Amino acid sequence: MEVRGLRALLCVLVVVACSIAFVSASAGVAADVGTQRAALQEAPDGQGETNETPRLGEADQTYIDVYITENGSARVTVDYQFYLSDENRSAEWESLRANISNNTDWYVAEERRSWNETLSKGENATDREMSLSNVSITTETTSRPEEIGHARVSFVWSHFARVQVNRIEAGTALSGFTLTDGTTLQFRWPDEYAVYESEGELAVEPSPEDPPDGSVSWDGEQNFPDDEPRIVLIQNSDTGTEEPQSGEEPSMPWAIVTLALALLATVGVAGWLIGRNRSSGEATADGDETVQRADGAAVSERTVPDGPPPELLSNEERVLRLLEERGGRVKQQEVVSELDWTEAKTSQVVGDLRESDEIEVFRIGRENVLALPEDE
């Protein structure tokens, strides 16, 4: 009996010891899981953002503003907007705002990483080297017309657009970009540029519902195909100090100048005809050149050929005739004055001539200069 009792006692002790060990292990595992959950609540990804705090991608509205500069870079601002409609939403916003303030570098790094992925696709689509710089994030709360929390990410995107003299082509750096519901993409540009227009069609793809006036925007949801979005801008003015010309009829001073030039031209032609009739036939008009041989005989004579009147010429032919009359080179602003055109119309005609390789365009200071191509 004593042996049996001893064996029973040993079995009881073994069972009790195993039970204690199992309970301790279970408690340890539960403690580890609780610690991990607490850590995730206090710092997901190790950055101190609680589960109750909304992320930037959870904004109610997102506005992506892209300001295209003359050198082809873009100043980009991404405005994440949170509508503070109640106390809970306001508390969530204040938590996010505090996290951004305490972990600014982490938010900047995350935004840089995300936009660099888009930039890499843009490099492949355009075959241009690009980079992001001056990435920053700020927060602000506005109350008009309603209370909104703003988390704004800003950066500079180099070589975003393609620049050719007085022409800017932009947008294909975002080729394949996807707009989600509640997201707006907006392009803006300097005042001296306007959207290129050919035969009444604006060079904007996809076409906006309303003609752009200093900016163009697209609202989600939409997925841009290859080579879209795309916009072509043309320079309006080269002077920088003069007031930009509108699309209205020329003012009275220009009309007077044009009338005076026409009168002078008429007097000049009349004087030339009178002089030619009085001469023995050897006199030539202003600008004619006669080359004499050693024995005094004329071997060549260059005169300006007669042509159809200006009203029968196309816009491009009028510019080419003016270039020939000015010796093959003229400032673009002189074309505006001489032909009594608006600067926008002149820029479009010049752009068409340059694309067809009928003229060359280069800059001297802040002005464009047009020239006939040199014979090779």
Side-chain angles (χ1 to χ4, degrees):
M1 295 296 293
E2 293 180 358
V3 173
R4 291 180 178 177
L6 182 59
R7 288 178 179 176
L9 179 62
L10 289 174
C11 290
V12 170
L13 291 175
V14 169
V15 171
V16 171
C18 291
S19 300
I20 293 174
F22 177 77
V23 170
S24 299
S26 300
V29 171
D32 289 342
V33 172
T35 302
Q36 290 175 358
R37 287 179 179 174
L40 288 173
Q41 289 177 351
E42 293 174 0
D45 300 330
Q47 295 302 324
E49 186 177 353
T50 65
N51 285 342
E52 290 76 15
T53 302
R55 295 181 180 272
L56 295 180
E58 298 173 358
D60 297 293
Q61 291 286 336
T62 302
Y63 290 89
I64 305 173
D65 178 76
V66 180
Y67 182 80
I68 305 165
T69 65
E70 290 184 345
N71 64 5
S73 297
R75 297 198 295 267
V76 182
T77 301
V78 185
D79 186 4
Y80 298 99
Q81 298 187 2
F82 298 83
Y83 295 157
L84 311 183
S85 55
D86 52 44
E87 292 183 0
N88 290 335
R89 193 61 169 169
S90 297
E92 291 173 354
W93 163 248
E94 290 302 326
S95 178
L96 175 61
R97 189 174 186 175
N99 279 334
I100 292 175
S101 176
N102 294 332
N103 301 285
T104 303
D105 292 342
W106 180 81
Y107 281 94
V108 167
E110 283 296 295
E111 287 295 303
R112 184 192 297 274
R113 178 191 59 78
S114 176
W115 281 100
N116 267 327
E117 292 177 359
T118 304
L119 180 143
S120 296
K121 296 178 182 178
E123 288 182 324
N124 294 333
T126 63
D127 198 24
R128 293 196 302 269
E129 291 186 3
M130 303 174 178
S131 64
L132 299 184
S133 61
N134 300 331
V135 184
S136 65
I137 184 170
T138 60
T139 59
E140 179 188 16
T141 302
T142 59
S143 57
R144 293 182 181 179
E146 58 182 316
E147 193 169 9
I148 299 176
H150 301 266
R152 295 190 178 95
V153 176
S154 302
F155 55 87
V156 176
W157 186 329
S158 67
H159 303 294
F160 178 85
R162 180 169 175 256
V163 180
Q164 289 183 317
V165 189
N166 63 337
R167 179 188 179 100
I168 298 177
E169 297 180 11
T172 50
L174 292 174
S175 180
F177 191 71
T178 300
L179 291 182
T180 58
D181 186 28
T183 303
T184 298
L185 172 65
Q186 175 179 263
F187 284 174
R188 296 185 298 117
W189 50 84
D191 293 337
E192 55 267 27
Y193 283 84
V195 177
Y196 180 75
E197 183 176 351
S198 178
E199 298 181 355
E201 295 293 331
L202 295 174
V204 182
E205 297 176 3
S207 300
E209 294 182 0
D210 300 319
D213 184 14
S215 68
V216 61
S217 61
W218 300 271
D219 295 319
E221 302 173 345
Q222 58 181 300
N223 186 8
F224 296 111
D226 292 341
D227 298 328
E228 289 186 13
R230 180 176 179 270
I231 184 171
V232 179
L233 305 172
I234 198 76
Q235 192 175 26
N236 278 331
S237 173
D238 302 313
T239 59
T241 57
E242 297 180 358
E243 291 294 327
Q245 296 286 337
S246 66
E248 300 174 356
E249 293 298 324
S251 58
M252 183 58 67
W254 283 110
I256 295 175
V257 170
T258 303
L259 182 61
L261 290 174
L263 181 60
L264 287 174
T266 303
V267 172
V269 171
W272 174 75
L273 290 173
I274 294 172
R276 186 181 65 173
N277 292 335
R278 290 180 177 178
S279 67
S280 59
E282 297 176 354
T284 60
D286 243 357
D288 291 350
E289 294 179 0
T290 302
V291 180
Q292 302 289 336
R293 291 194 318 210
D295 58 1
V299 295
S300 67
E301 187 175 86
R302 180 177 60 86
T303 61
V304 177
D306 293 333
E311 58 270 15
L312 297 182
L313 299 176
S314 66
N315 292 334
E316 290 77 6
E317 290 172 338
R318 295 181 69 181
V319 173
L320 292 174
R321 171 179 283 190
L322 182 59
L323 275 166
E324 293 175 354
E325 293 175 351
R326 297 296 179 87
R329 180 176 295 186
V330 66
K331 293 181 180 178
Q332 183 169 325
Q333 195 62 30
E334 294 180 12
V335 177
V336 174
S337 303
E338 187 69 23
L339 300 183
D340 201 15
W341 289 348
T342 63
E343 294 172 350
K345 176 179 179 179
T346 305
S347 294
Q348 288 192 13
V349 174
V350 168
D352 292 338
L353 286 170
R354 180 182 58 79
E355 286 187 353
S356 60
D357 296 326
E358 294 187 67
I359 64 170
E360 296 176 350
V361 182
F362 57 92
R363 297 183 71 89
I364 297 181
R366 293 180 59 87
E367 294 187 320
N368 281 354
V369 177
L370 317 182
L372 293 173
E374 297 182 359
D375 296 333
E376 297 183 356

